[in-house]
Amino acid sequence: MSKSDRENRNTLALRSIQVKLNTRERLLLKALSFVFLWIYTAGTIGVPASLLEWPVNTGLLFAALGAEAAVFAFLPAGESRIQEKIPVKFVYGGILILLALLFYVFWINGLNGLLNSSIDRIGRAHPYMLPYYRVSLSEGMQKAAQWFFILWAGAWVLLLGRRLLKSGNIVFLGMQEGIFLFLQMVSGIHADLVMNLAVLAAVLVMWIWAQGSRMPEGRHRLAAAESVLLLAVFGMAAAVLLTAAAGRIRKSGSAFSGTREKISQAVEDRRYKGESEVLPGGSFADLGSFLPTGKEVLKVTMSSPQSYYLRGFIGSVYEGNRWTESENEKRWAGRDLFYWLHADGFYGQQELAQAAKVLKPEEYQENTITIENIAANRKYLLTPYELQMKEEETKKLLQKQLLGDEGIRSAGLQGEKKYTYTSYPALAASYPELVGKLSKADEPAEEVERYRKNESYYNEYVYANYVDLPENIRQDLNGIFGNAAETPAGQKHTDYSSAKEDILYVLTRSYTYEERLSSRWNGPDLVDDFLQNTKSGYSVHFASAAVLMFRYFGIPARYVEGYLITPSDAEQMEAGREIVLDDSHAHAWAEYYQDGVGWLPFETTPSYLQVMNQAQEFQNISDTEGSSQQEPPPEEVEEEEKEEEQEKESEIDWIFIIECILAGLILLVLVFLLLVIIRIIREIIISRRLRRDFENEDRKIAVRSIFAYSMYLLSVAGLEIRNQSLFRYGKEIEEMYGPELRREYAAIVRIRQEAVYSEHPVSEAAYARMLAFEQKIWHAVYEEASPMRRLQLKLIYLL
């Protein structure tokens, strides 16, 4: 660019000018700035403070942020000449950085204290081994340090708020609130309702600012009606904040919990659900019959064929209509225990094999097992009780940082379809031998002693978390067992043999195995209904009842769903050759904790008692063999199927109705997106058409096209296009960009008029002047805009 061009460009540079405001307008603008900065900062700081349960008082937090907002609302905005050398935002930012350096001990201790509080809240919701940060100050000073950091962070938020006020960027605010709500819905951790309202109120105030304050390059104008609305919003915001300070607004978790659960279930189904799932995954709502179709679900390959119980879902907490995993807060409370156990290589999922390993490892040959999941649920890896892997494999498969000892979660977005691990031969049916060897080791080796110590620590956790029993079930079982559950003096629970014998006797004598239910179950308590009313069901019912019976006797127990590799399956297998299991191998069973060796499967479903290998002492219990109900004749089966089909036809298919509604909503969204795409394409075509003629050889056409595009840019900047003479826009352009541009605009209009109405050709000088004018407007509107404003111009105005 030549020197003359640079001088010409400087001459035509656009400069924003400020319209002088009267006292009332200045006060209104300051009041609006204060309201916005206060509620925006209260929401932006308050949402994480409430979400992560920072140890601060809500009322005091709002008051402190309000005082900070008042200071920032009346600070210089940087309109003076100083900004030409050092932007005010850099000055304020530098001051904040200097404060952090001067009071570094306070700053870092406040940050670490809030991080520890946040980690504790996240860990209670999502139990995972998370780091803690060092805090060196006393408790009283730590409180002061946390307040120092919160106010320091609030100052940065206020700087961002001032920037948002200047740009009027309501899109950013909407995105911020959307992110806050989305994180709360997905994480299951919820902020106070007032915190979310504060951010929503900030969006409303910004909308008033954008509507009531016309801000093309620094011009402000407030209408009387908008001033009244401003005062109304101010009163509403003050009422909300004062109510929050009084602690009268409860958390908004209930607003998201139901939605989150539905979304979470839908996402899980999308990620993990297989084509053949005949068991409910621990959820009994709308529980139907057990109807395997013979569909292939698993391909299993072993180096040494064995019979195994393959565990998938493990339920620890009984809620009447479902089993869930152990409570997150309880797992988080045991984080120190799991940290040291995992560091020492002790995992509850492979305790049985570890017990065998420390005694006589040379007696057991490792069995390599490969599972290929064809059509089963992929949320959990299917593993046996005898799981035994090398240290590096254990850390990867069992996730050293994960707290808990239940089902092994599958990695990957859609779970793992094929995986390999190592295991010991089937030990579940021969555990008494291991228990005996452990108890007889008077002078154990170092590994045995270390195992005993770790098992004792883990044993305490198990008894503290897996013996809970609902009171109504306790009353049911008290009527069934009477005094049989009395714990002998000095013992934690009833004798294992007595408890198991009583459980088997009751379930096999008083309850009937039935795969076909008379109707779908939707009651409040499955086990209570099974014990007192229906007295028939399949593995889900028997296993659930057995778990609660174990707990009634004081023995820790859990509910398990998975697949069986039966002894007959193992006999048909060859080493290294795969065997295919169909969905009839799906099964639910109870597992109980045997002191010394860990979790063991216990079969209580009548028709399965002779299928899987059991401990020798219970293979010949009376009245267990053949106690299941005989299969009905084919005619009765066909009749039952017809009745079920008629019942289904008569019922309202709510799922279908919901699917239709969702399909309609999706269709509306697609139509809306189509209209948006059509509009974007149309605007792009118009813009390209105008720009295409910029270099037309017919300079008259080129000048008209350049002028039309320049007016479009001015309209984006805030110029209201009306049906009037082009020359009348001069005054408004002067208010926006100063008198120099008004004079240049007048000359440009004359060039355009000559191109439209005169027969004279347009000179190259006039064409160049028109093109330079368009470039100046473009530079002012787009290239000098902030990144967020550019995004807005791209998305809304398609520049």
Side-chain angles (χ1 to χ4, degrees):
M1 183 182 291
S2 65
K3 181 179 180 180
S4 59
D5 290 337
R6 288 195 299 270
E7 291 175 351
N8 184 48
R9 179 164 183 160
N10 291 334
T11 302
L12 295 177
L14 304 180
R15 296 193 304 275
S16 284
I17 65 170
Q18 295 289 335
V19 176
K20 291 184 178 180
L21 304 175
N22 59 39
T23 303
R24 173 180 168 277
E25 289 176 327
R26 284 198 299 272
L27 289 176
L28 283 172
L29 286 174
K30 291 295 184 183
L32 181 59
S33 299
F34 166 68
V35 172
F36 173 78
L37 290 175
W38 185 18
I39 60 179
Y40 173 69
T41 309
T44 304
I45 297 293
V47 166
S50 174
L51 199 69
L52 302 173
E53 295 184 357
W54 291 352
V56 294
N57 178 272
T58 302
L60 188 57
L61 176 65
F62 276 164
L65 294 177
E68 219 176 5
V71 173
F72 268 74
F74 290 92
L75 282 176
E79 294 88 355
S80 63
R81 294 182 179 179
I82 298 177
Q83 195 180 23
E84 297 178 3
K85 295 183 179 180
I86 306 177
V88 172
K89 59 185 177 182
F90 292 145
V91 175
Y92 294 156
I95 293 173
L96 291 175
I97 293 173
L98 183 62
L99 284 173
L101 293 174
L102 289 175
F103 301 96
Y104 178 75
V105 174
F106 249 52
W107 184 88
I108 194 64
N109 275 271
L111 172 61
N112 288 349
L114 294 175
L115 283 176
N116 289 341
S117 176
S118 303
I119 287 170
D120 186 67
R121 180 67 187 95
I122 294 171
R124 282 187 282 118
H126 303 282
Y128 200 80
M129 206 73 73
L130 299 170
Y132 268 83
Y133 296 91
R134 181 175 178 271
V135 175
S136 59
L137 296 177
S138 63
E139 185 176 350
M141 295 299 291
Q142 175 62 23
K143 279 280 187 182
Q146 290 172 0
W147 275 107
F148 174 78
F149 184 85
I150 288 173
L151 294 177
W152 181 86
W156 283 106
V157 175
L158 285 166
L159 282 178
L160 175 60
R162 284 163 60 92
R163 181 62 184 168
L164 291 175
L165 276 178
K166 186 176 181 181
S167 65
N169 196 329
I170 197 171
V171 176
F172 178 85
L173 286 176
M175 291 173 59
Q176 179 177 331
E177 174 63 0
I179 291 172
F180 280 162
L181 294 177
F182 177 77
L183 289 176
Q184 293 174 63
M185 188 164 56
V186 170
S187 68
I189 308 174
H190 309 109
D192 286 344
L193 178 62
V194 68
M195 304 302 183
N196 292 305
L197 289 178
V199 181
L200 289 172
V203 176
L204 178 59
V205 173
M206 178 60 75
W207 179 82
I208 297 172
W209 177 276
Q211 296 299 316
S213 304
R214 308 292 185 257
M215 300 194 311
E217 303 300 330
R219 185 165 60 95
H220 298 278
R221 178 170 57 83
L222 287 174
E226 291 158 348
S227 301
V228 174
L229 184 57
L230 164 64
L231 295 177
V233 172
F234 179 84
M236 180 189 73
V240 170
L241 296 179
L242 290 174
T243 305
R248 294 180 180 177
I249 295 184
R250 294 178 297 178
K251 286 202 170 188
S252 56
S254 58
F256 302 106
S257 57
T259 304
R260 175 184 176 272
E261 188 171 337
K262 292 178 182 178
I263 292 176
S264 177
Q265 186 59 52
V267 171
E268 280 198 1
D269 289 346
R270 181 66 177 172
R271 291 179 62 187
Y272 305 120
K273 192 170 185 179
E275 297 177 6
S276 178
E277 294 186 22
V278 292
L279 291 178
S283 178
F284 306 140
D286 200 35
L287 181 68
S289 302
F290 179 67
L291 299 173
T293 61
K295 184 176 180 61
E296 297 178 352
V297 291
L298 299 176
K299 291 181 180 179
V300 182
T301 306
M302 298 188 199
S303 60
S304 177
Q306 299 281 330
S307 170
Y308 288 116
Y309 281 88
L310 298 180
R311 295 193 290 181
F313 168 78
I314 298 177
S316 302
V317 180
Y318 180 67
E319 297 180 358
N321 65 347
R322 65 175 179 174
W323 284 96
T324 64
E325 294 180 335
S326 59
E327 297 174 7
N328 291 333
E329 293 196 5
K330 288 186 176 181
R331 281 192 277 168
W332 177 247
R335 59 190 179 277
D336 291 338
L337 169 68
F338 284 109
Y339 174 82
W340 292 111
L341 288 178
H342 292 177
D344 208 20
F346 185 97
Y347 292 82
Q349 295 94 332
Q350 55 182 16
E351 184 179 357
L352 180 61
Q354 284 179 306
K357 182 178 180 180
V358 299
L359 288 171
K360 290 186 177 181
E362 66 277 2
E363 292 184 4
Y364 304 103
Q365 181 180 0
E366 289 187 350
N367 185 12
T368 301
I369 303 174
T370 299
I371 305 286
E372 184 178 351
N373 191 326
I374 306 172
N377 191 292
R378 299 182 299 275
K379 183 176 181 179
Y380 299 95
L381 301 184
L382 298 168
T383 57
Y385 288 85
E386 297 82 358
L387 186 67
Q388 174 58 40
M389 299 176 296
K390 296 180 176 62
E391 183 178 356
E392 59 274 11
E393 295 174 338
T394 300
K395 290 179 180 179
K396 179 181 178 182
L397 190 68
L398 299 182
Q399 301 181 43
K400 182 178 180 180
Q401 299 299 105
L402 186 64
L403 301 177
D405 60 335
E406 296 167 352
I408 303 174
R409 293 292 183 97
S410 181
L413 183 62
Q414 292 190 313
E416 297 182 57
K417 295 184 178 180
K418 190 172 184 178
Y419 42 92
T420 300
Y421 49 78
T422 56
S423 172
Y424 275 173
L427 300 171
S430 59
Y431 74 89
E433 180 184 356
L434 293 177
V435 175
K437 288 181 179 179
L438 283 171
S439 62
K440 292 177 182 178
D442 296 328
E443 296 181 2
E446 181 180 349
E447 287 189 2
V448 175
E449 182 61 31
R450 187 172 62 186
Y451 171 83
R452 279 180 171 180
K453 182 176 66 175
N454 287 331
E455 193 278 332
S456 68
Y457 297 146
Y458 179 64
N459 187 290
E460 293 180 10
Y461 174 84
V462 168
Y463 276 88
N465 289 278
Y466 301 115
V467 292
D468 293 338
L469 188 65
E471 186 57 34
N472 66 314
I473 301 297
R474 185 179 299 279
Q475 293 176 6
D476 291 343
L477 296 179
N478 189 53
I480 294 173
F481 292 108
N483 297 328
E486 291 184 1
T487 303
Q491 297 186 16
K492 292 185 291 186
H493 54 74
T494 303
D495 177 70
Y496 283 114
S497 296
S498 298
K500 289 188 281 187
E501 187 171 354
D502 287 344
I503 291 171
L504 275 177
Y505 184 82
V506 167
L507 289 178
T508 56
R509 288 291 299 270
S510 303
Y511 299 89
T512 305
Y513 181 77
E514 176 60 72
E515 293 183 350
R516 294 178 176 274
L517 303 182
S518 58
S519 61
R520 303 189 75 85
W521 184 86
N522 272 300
D525 195 310
L526 181 80
V527 174
D528 179 71
D529 198 26
F530 172 70
L531 293 176
Q532 300 296 325
N533 300 318
T534 63
K535 297 190 177 183
S536 66
Y538 50 96
S539 63
V540 166
H541 304 78
F542 283 89
S544 297
V547 170
L548 299 181
M549 288 176 177
F550 269 115
R551 294 184 177 187
Y552 180 72
F553 287 106
I555 301 171
R558 303 188 297 201
Y559 169 87
V560 186
E561 288 183 17
Y563 289 84
L564 304 179
I565 300 178
T566 66
S568 61
D569 293 328
E571 290 175 2
Q572 298 174 25
M573 296 180 68
E574 297 180 17
R577 298 285 297 273
E578 69 180 26
I579 185 174
V580 178
L581 305 182
D582 61 28
D583 55 5
S584 66
H585 289 70
H587 188 54
W589 63 90
E591 66 176 19
Y592 71 97
Y593 191 82
Q594 173 74 46
D595 296 336
V597 297
W599 297 102
L600 296 171
F602 186 69
E603 192 59 71
T604 57
T605 305
S607 62
Y608 285 80
L609 290 173
Q610 307 305 319
V611 173
M612 297 295 290
N613 293 329
Q614 302 295 322
Q616 185 67 34
E617 58 195 292
F618 293 111
Q619 281 187 344
N620 298 317
I621 187 170
S622 62
D623 291 328
T624 60
E625 187 173 1
S627 62
S628 62
Q629 181 172 319
Q630 297 296 319
E631 288 293 325
E635 296 81 4
E636 293 185 13
V637 172
E638 291 179 3
E639 189 65 29
E640 289 178 1
E641 290 177 350
K642 289 180 181 179
E643 290 178 359
E644 286 186 2
E645 290 176 0
Q646 291 174 357
E647 288 178 2
K648 290 180 180 179
E649 290 175 359
S650 62
E651 293 177 354
I652 298 176
D653 194 345
W654 290 108
I655 296 178
F656 176 74
I657 294 174
I658 293 173
E659 289 177 348
C660 291
I661 294 173
L662 290 175
L665 292 174
I666 293 172
L667 182 61
L668 289 176
V669 172
L670 291 176
V671 171
F672 173 75
L673 291 176
L674 180 62
L675 293 175
V676 171
I677 293 172
I678 292 173
R679 176 186 175 273
I680 292 174
I681 294 174
R682 178 177 173 274
E683 294 292 337
I684 291 174
I685 292 174
I686 294 173
S687 177
R688 287 183 177 178
R689 185 180 300 163
L690 289 172
R691 285 180 169 275
R692 187 172 61 244
D693 289 332
F694 277 17
E695 298 180 1
N696 197 299
E697 293 181 359
D698 186 343
R699 294 311 190 194
K700 286 188 175 184
I701 296 175
V703 163
R704 292 199 297 268
S705 180
I706 295 170
F707 182 83
Y709 191 73
S710 299
M711 292 301 292
Y712 174 70
L713 292 175
L714 287 170
S715 70
V716 171
L719 180 66
E720 184 179 353
I721 304 300
R722 300 179 295 274
N723 186 19
Q724 65 179 24
S725 170
L726 294 175
F727 289 99
R728 291 188 178 182
Y729 292 111
K731 183 178 180 181
E732 295 176 63
I733 291 175
E734 181 178 356
E735 291 180 359
M736 293 171 63
Y737 301 115
E740 292 183 12
L741 185 65
R742 177 177 183 176
R743 290 191 292 271
E744 180 63 20
Y745 172 75
I748 292 301
V749 171
R750 285 192 290 272
I751 294 173
R752 185 263 181 190
Q753 301 295 70
E754 184 178 359
V756 174
Y757 301 111
S758 172
E759 295 181 358
H760 301 149
V762 175
S763 66
E764 288 298 318
Y767 168 73
R769 191 171 187 179
M770 179 69 76
L771 199 59
F773 178 79
E774 183 271 334
Q775 288 297 312
K776 290 292 183 182
I777 297 295
W778 170 265
H779 186 270
V781 174
Y782 184 79
E783 293 187 359
E784 292 185 355
S786 65
M788 289 302 299
R789 174 64 174 168
R790 287 189 182 186
L791 180 63
Q792 186 181 17
L793 292 173
K794 281 287 187 183
L795 295 178
I796 299 177
Y797 299 105
L798 303 175
L799 295 187

